[in-house]
Amino acid sequence: MKNPSKGHTVESFNEEMKREHKTVLQMGALVRTQIKNAIRTLQEEDAEEARKVIAADAEVNNLDIQVAAHVEHILARRTPVAGDLREVLTVAKMATDLERCGDEAGKLARLTIHFFGDRGTAPNYQLLQEVSSVAGFVDHMLQESLDAFDQRNIERACEVIRKAESLDGEFRSSLRRLTTFVLEDARTIGQFIDVVLAVRALERIGGHAKNIGGYVVYLVTGRDVRHETLDEILRDLT
Amino acid sequence: MNEKKVTNPALEVSDMQAYQDVAGEVAVEDARVSCRDVRVYYGDKQALFGINLDLGSNAVTALIGPSGCGKSTFLRCINRMNDTIPNCRVEGNIRLDNQDINDPNSDVVELRARVGMVFQKPNPFPKSIYDNVAYGPRIHALAESKDHLDSIVETALKKAGLWKEVADRLNSPGTGLSGGQQQRLCIARAISVQPEVILMDEPCSALDPIATARIEELIDELSENFTIAIVTHSMQQAARVSQRTAYFHLGNLIEVGDTEQIFTNPQQQLTEDYITGRFG
């Protein structure tokens, strides 16, 4: 009976929980690669590679379905409670958010095809700079949120939520800068809209990373903080 | 930040001792039964170490914990069933409606009429269905006439959800019923004397899932009129039927709280480890 908290008496339950933990991290790594590849296709003006990024989204979707099926089995067969229940719910929610991040990466790749495909019109290089700068910020958030989950680290989760507040400012600044191009030359309006949609896709990925940060706080503390500000979260944690 | 409390270490049975503290609020506003510093000894061996716990009126309290943790011992203190065990000594204060049940002047027969009990295995008397239910009202002289007794039996069987199944064979032996029906007969027998509290010691452990579901539904209905304490080894059952859950470990109450909180976010590491199947 000593050291009971090391693992379940039923070892196969431990294995199932570890497997889902690992799968969702694998899904996160894949999504980050998808986002990076999509951004690279924009920078390298490579429509062919962009098509590969879109095709590769199927792998993310498959992992999402796999996690959902395993979560269903765990709920039905193990009826987890307390920390186990929170972990299972967290994994299920993370898979949904990561799948949507994959969809956003697909939107970025489609933009490459739109700009640099056979019938595309290459945009102003400076417009695309905005996409690259927001992408770096968002990727860091996603990485931080996955690490926070892996380590059950509330401090890192809160850091992601803090960054999401900065991202709002970053997004608005980006819009202002992009607007100046339109003001200078109204003919860039079409490109402007496309680039804004790309930045918006990245902003959504940041939003999903923030969600994951919130799930980690829930996983560790049992508190649902999705609709709380960082100040409110921190006030209740201390 | 947000670490579970580990004030109470997991010990070996041979190391049984009083633990440091209880997580959660042991007192409730509308307590029907109030237990303070309850200690039970079997000869030299101490089985309960100062339990403080209230049972709220018209609510179901689940007592959970590994075998030998003292939950059944505690349950049996509430209607003085431990009096029947040689060498068993109960200390502390247990109040039912603010009256000390261990007061030398209190009548244990009257106490057991006010605090009914349902056991793990259905134990109907080797009598007819009618006589099983009528037994209590007869010995406590609750019925004024034969018609009144008939009405008490019918009401108890209806409350126990058994009336429709046995109305046409009240004179058949109670032992001829199925396991689930026998357990509901025992519940009817317990409630026929209009108790205030019903103690249930693993009432479904010998029943199949359908019979279990019927008893659980019955517990839910009975909780409108009775105070219920149920000992169960099924975590899902505790989560389904109770409003409050108390976790016992090696003779100590470790944590008590709203059932929802205990099963989603327990405060004590020991509670979490037990309910998630890490030991027990």
Side-chain angles (χ1 to χ4, degrees):
Chain A
M1 205 184 279
K2 282 185 176 169
N3 297 323
S5 60
K6 284 201 167 166
H8 294 98
T9 307
V10 181
E11 283 187 15
S12 53
F13 189 10
N14 284 338
E15 295 308 312
E16 287 172 22
M17 296 290 277
K18 274 187 209 159
R19 185 186 60 193
E20 291 328 298
H21 185 98
K22 218 169 130 185
T23 306
V24 92
L25 287 176
Q26 182 192 344
M27 201 173 159
L30 185 58
V31 165
R32 283 186 63 212
T33 306
Q34 284 283 90
I35 297 165
K36 279 182 192 158
N37 286 347
I39 296 296
R40 201 175 57 238
T41 63
L42 262 178
Q43 290 163 339
E44 295 177 0
E45 306 180 5
D46 191 340
E48 199 51 45
E49 278 302 311
R51 288 191 182 88
K52 288 182 189 167
V53 171
I54 292 166
D57 189 41
E59 202 178 333
V60 178
N61 293 345
N62 286 338
L63 284 174
D64 180 35
I65 288 167
Q66 187 183 316
V67 170
H70 289 168
V71 162
E72 187 183 17
H73 288 172
I74 290 175
L75 289 174
R77 297 176 64 221
R78 309 287 188 193
T79 50
V81 294
D84 292 338
L85 177 62
R86 295 203 301 277
E87 170 120 26
V88 171
L89 293 177
T90 298
V91 161
K93 286 178 175 175
M94 278 179 70
T96 303
D97 276 84
L98 289 171
E99 190 275 332
R100 288 187 186 153
C101 288
D103 291 346
E104 301 296 346
K107 286 181 194 170
L108 294 168
R110 268 185 279 278
L111 193 66
T112 303
I113 297 168
H114 176 68
F115 283 146
F116 305 111
D118 295 340
R119 295 181 189 173
T121 316
N124 181 327
Y125 169 74
Q126 284 173 307
L127 280 172
L128 289 181
Q129 285 284 75
E130 289 298 328
V131 180
S132 302
S133 112
V134 179
F137 191 88
V138 162
D139 178 58
H140 188 64
M141 281 179 72
L142 197 53
Q143 180 194 353
E144 190 80 2
S145 71
L146 293 167
D147 288 347
F149 166 69
D150 192 29
Q151 300 159 8
R152 292 171 169 255
N153 187 322
I154 303 182
E155 283 80 6
R156 292 187 83 166
C158 287
E159 184 57 24
V160 177
I161 296 167
R162 192 189 65 72
K163 282 206 169 85
E165 291 178 0
S166 307
L167 180 64
D168 282 345
E170 188 75 15
F171 181 59
R172 278 193 297 275
S173 304
S174 187
L175 284 185
R176 272 197 301 276
R177 285 193 296 273
L178 288 168
T179 309
T180 58
F181 289 102
V182 184
L183 292 175
E184 282 172 17
D185 183 357
R187 287 171 301 176
T188 60
I189 186 81
Q191 295 170 4
F192 164 80
I193 290 169
D194 289 332
V195 172
V196 166
L197 288 175
V199 176
R200 170 71 179 160
L202 289 166
E203 188 270 340
R204 285 315 312 138
I205 292 170
H208 291 300
K210 181 196 173 192
N211 288 349
I212 292 171
Y215 303 152
V216 173
V217 176
Y218 165 74
L219 171 66
V220 179
T221 69
R223 278 183 51 226
D224 187 344
V225 296
R226 284 175 300 170
H227 302 292
E228 291 181 18
T229 63
L230 182 62
D231 285 345
E232 287 168 337
I233 296 169
L234 291 174
R235 194 176 54 226
D236 290 343
L237 284 177
T238 47
Chain B
M1 198 191 282
N2 296 291
E3 291 293 314
K4 297 263 180 225
K5 284 188 193 174
V6 284
T7 46
N8 300 315
L11 298 169
E12 299 294 346
V13 176
S14 54
D15 299 331
M16 277 176 80
Q17 57 175 259
Y19 278 30
Q20 296 299 310
D21 67 349
V22 178
E25 192 54 60
V26 296
V28 294
E29 272 183 19
D30 55 346
R32 171 64 46 92
V33 178
S34 190
C35 305
R36 292 294 177 272
D37 196 23
V38 175
R39 283 156 284 132
V40 176
Y41 302 81
Y42 293 111
D44 294 337
K45 187 160 174 56
Q46 189 165 1
L48 285 182
F49 293 83
I51 305 297
N52 299 308
L53 184 63
D54 284 357
L55 305 182
S57 297
N58 301 351
V60 182
T61 305
L63 310 179
I64 60 169
S67 297
C69 69
K71 54 195 187 303
S72 291
T73 298
F74 175 73
L75 195 75
R76 294 161 61 89
C77 290
I78 299 171
N79 67 347
R80 290 179 56 182
M81 286 291 281
N82 289 323
D83 290 9
T84 61
I85 299 172
N87 292 328
C88 182
R89 193 168 88 248
V90 178
E91 295 175 356
N93 191 271
I94 302 173
R95 305 184 86 81
L96 171 63
D97 291 333
N98 219 16
Q99 288 177 316
D100 184 357
I101 67 162
N102 290 309
D103 187 315
N105 297 322
S106 76
D107 179 359
V108 71
V109 176
E110 189 211 344
L111 171 71
R112 289 183 192 146
R114 291 170 70 193
V115 184
M117 193 154 191
V118 177
F119 298 87
Q120 187 172 356
K121 273 179 134 181
N123 55 351
F125 300 138
K127 291 170 174 286
S128 70
I129 293 167
Y130 183 94
D131 285 340
N132 260 280
V133 184
Y135 185 83
R138 276 187 183 131
I139 63 165
H140 290 290
L142 298 180
E144 292 156 8
S145 62
K146 175 75 173 75
D147 284 351
H148 188 201
L149 186 61
D150 289 350
S151 139
I152 290 173
V153 170
E154 182 177 335
T155 305
L157 285 168
K158 278 181 176 165
K159 277 188 186 164
L162 194 59
W163 176 251
K164 283 183 187 165
E165 291 160 59
V166 300
D168 57 350
R169 50 174 170 146
L170 291 175
N171 292 320
S172 307
T175 49
L177 297 171
S178 72
Q181 288 173 324
Q182 284 187 26
Q183 196 62 305
R184 279 182 280 144
L185 179 63
C186 293
I187 292 172
R189 187 177 65 191
I191 62 183
S192 65
V193 291
Q194 296 173 325
E196 297 163 45
V197 181
I198 304 174
L199 308 175
M200 298 183 165
D201 195 351
E202 298 184 54
C204 301
S205 61
L207 305 181
D208 67 42
I210 297 296
T212 297
R214 296 197 69 165
I215 299 284
E216 288 181 2
E217 194 187 0
L218 179 58
I219 291 170
D220 198 39
E221 287 167 14
L222 293 175
S223 68
E224 288 176 16
N225 301 308
F226 303 96
T227 295
I228 297 174
I230 177 171
V231 165
T232 177
H233 274 137
S234 161
M235 297 300 99
Q236 282 71 42
Q237 181 167 67
R240 284 192 298 260
V241 303
S242 70
Q243 286 82 50
R244 286 222 311 160
T245 296
Y247 172 62
F248 284 70
H249 184 85
L250 294 180
N252 290 268
L253 176 63
I254 301 297
E255 181 163 0
V256 59
D258 288 344
T259 296
E260 195 175 306
Q261 175 253 315
I262 295 285
F263 284 98
T264 54
N265 196 13
Q267 302 304 304
Q268 280 281 359
Q269 187 66 49
L270 269 179
T271 315
E272 169 111 14
D273 288 344
Y274 177 69
I275 65 173
T276 56
R278 284 171 165 80
F279 74 97

